[in-house]
Amino acid sequence: MSLAAATATVTASGTHGFLSPTGVEIAFLLVGLVTFGAALVTVTTRQLVHAALWLVVALGGLAVEYLLLTAEFIAWVQVLIYVGSVVVLLLFGLMLTKAPIGRSPDADSGNRWAALAVAVAAAVALVWVVVDAFRTTWIDLDGPAAGTTRVTGESLFRTWVLPFEALSVLLLAALVGAIVLSRKAKADATPAATADTTGEKEGAR
């Protein structure tokens, strides 16, 4: 009985609880708060360039969260695809369309309450799905690696090949969108330039 009691005591003392957070969990919470703040500024600022830069912070914060969850492959995919490609294409789109650098009053559509309702509903649904799926699941940081590049790559390219390839369409759509916007801006600028040139010629005569 004494041996069983000692074993139970050791097991109980080694059980993880919410009142005894580790350094990783504290870092996860702090990075999450920074990421949430950056995402909030992204959707509330009226300066398009600032919104793009804060989006980089938010996506980078997500990559750090993946690293803290020992999902290094997903973290580097987040950095390479979203931070290194999508945001860069977004910035190129802003430059090609000659978007205003300062405040843009027309950037607000006036549907803030509808957007807030949709965002809250999506957040509640996402939190409910995650909590329901991982209610009793804990990540053993001292156990065998479960989110390394090798483990995740094997699962990804054996089970999730088609969804992974479908995500590559996102980059193509962003690139095509940037090209279309730039061509439209050039087409709108050409008649104005032609009219100015004609007016200068007539004035010279």
Side-chain angles (χ1 to χ4, degrees):
M1 292 294 294
S2 59
L3 180 60
T7 304
T9 303
V10 173
T11 304
S13 62
T15 302
H16 184 78
F18 289 102
L19 298 180
S20 58
T22 62
V24 175
E25 292 175 344
I26 295 175
F28 185 87
L29 178 61
L30 294 177
V31 174
L33 292 176
V34 173
T35 304
F36 177 77
L40 191 62
V41 175
T42 301
V43 298
T44 55
T45 183
R46 292 190 177 182
Q47 298 191 20
L48 297 179
V49 177
H50 288 182
L53 296 178
W54 280 110
L55 181 61
V56 173
V57 177
L59 296 178
L62 288 178
V64 175
E65 298 284 54
Y66 288 135
L67 281 178
L68 294 175
L69 292 174
T70 68
E72 59 182 37
F73 180 81
I74 305 299
W76 296 126
V77 168
Q78 173 82 11
V79 172
L80 291 175
I81 294 182
Y82 289 96
V83 178
S85 299
V86 174
V87 175
V88 171
L89 289 175
L90 178 62
L91 292 175
F92 268 104
L94 293 176
M95 290 186 294
L96 290 173
T97 56
K98 296 181 180 180
I101 302 300
R103 296 175 62 86
S104 302
D106 57 344
D108 189 2
S109 64
N111 297 322
R112 288 188 175 184
W113 293 109
L116 180 61
V118 172
V120 171
V124 170
L126 181 60
V127 170
W128 181 80
V129 169
V130 172
V131 171
D132 184 68
F134 303 99
R135 186 182 303 274
T136 58
T137 302
W138 293 89
I139 298 176
D140 187 8
L141 299 178
D142 298 327
T148 59
T149 304
R150 178 177 179 180
V151 175
T152 307
E154 290 178 354
S155 175
L156 184 65
F157 290 105
R158 288 180 180 177
T159 309
W160 306 100
V161 176
L162 291 180
F164 183 77
E165 293 296 332
L167 285 177
S168 62
V169 180
L170 178 63
L171 298 178
L172 178 61
L175 180 60
V176 172
I179 295 174
V180 171
L181 290 175
S182 64
R183 290 178 62 86
K184 182 179 179 181
K186 290 180 180 180
D188 295 338
T190 301
T194 304
D196 294 340
T197 304
T198 304
E200 293 176 358
K201 291 181 179 180
E202 292 179 355
R205 292 177 182 177

